[in-house]
């Protein structure tokens, strides 16, 4: 799998997140990672019909932000952290013209996360 994302991939990912329900779902998937959440539970929690949630999850999956895993009759979704890292890496790649000291301090949520994007090589 590629460790980088191109401009069109970034636009797809950002477009997928640019909708209230999908952003809420993606954040829930990140919070539940790595276990994942059954699709039906996501729909119920968000108060969205199952067929509508299926569309939202498909959009997140096509954008490289979610992965599906079938376990028997249930489909579990989890955040695709590699896709998320690629997106964040694309957004920060040209930060401060390659001089990270200009960007300091690192925003608190990025500095304290255990899955920091800095761990991903060649983003």
């Amino acid at each position: 799998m590629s460790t980088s994302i191109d401009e069109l991939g970034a636009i797809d990912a950002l477009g997928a997140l640019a909708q209230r329900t999908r952003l809420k779902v993606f954040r829930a998937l990140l919070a539940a990672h790595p276990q994942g959440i059954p699709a039906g539970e996501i729909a119920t929690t968000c108060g969205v019909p199952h067929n509508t949630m299926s569309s939202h999850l498909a959009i997140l999956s096509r954008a490289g932000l979610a992965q599906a895993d079938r376990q028997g009759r249930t489909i579990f979704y989890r955040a695709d952290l590699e896709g998320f890292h690629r997106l964040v890496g694309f957004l920060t790649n040209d930060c401060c013209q390659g001089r990270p000291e200009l960007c300091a301090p690192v925003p608190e949520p990025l500095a304290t996360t255990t899955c920091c994007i800095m761990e991903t090589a060649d983003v």
Side-chain angles (χ1 to χ4, degrees):
M1 180 174 272
S2 174
T3 58
S4 65
I5 187 172
D6 62 11
E7 186 174 281
L8 291 177
I11 291 169
D12 286 344
L14 291 169
L17 295 172
Q19 198 278 341
R20 185 181 309 255
T21 301
R22 287 192 296 271
L23 181 59
K24 182 177 181 178
V25 168
F26 183 68
R27 291 181 59 134
L29 294 176
L30 285 173
H33 193 77
Q35 290 79 18
I37 308 170
E41 184 179 321
I42 299 169
T44 301
T45 300
C46 292
V48 174
H50 288 248
N51 60 339
T52 302
M53 183 54 66
S54 293
S55 296
H56 288 308
L57 290 166
I59 290 167
L60 288 169
S61 294
R62 281 192 303 272
L65 297 171
Q67 296 177 332
D69 179 34
R70 181 176 292 278
Q71 296 178 15
R73 293 179 44 168
T74 304
I75 300 175
F76 283 79
Y77 282 86
R78 66 183 185 285
D80 183 336
L81 292 185
E82 289 181 25
F84 177 57
H85 290 174
R86 286 191 298 269
L87 175 61
V88 173
F90 176 85
L91 294 172
T92 59
N93 188 50
D94 299 320
C95 180
C96 302
Q97 300 173 18
R99 295 180 55 205
E101 69 276 8
L102 296 177
C103 297
V106 174
E108 186 65 26
L110 287 178
T112 60
T113 184
T114 59
C115 60
C116 181
I117 63 165
M118 300 307 179
E119 294 174 5
T120 304
D122 299 322
V123 180

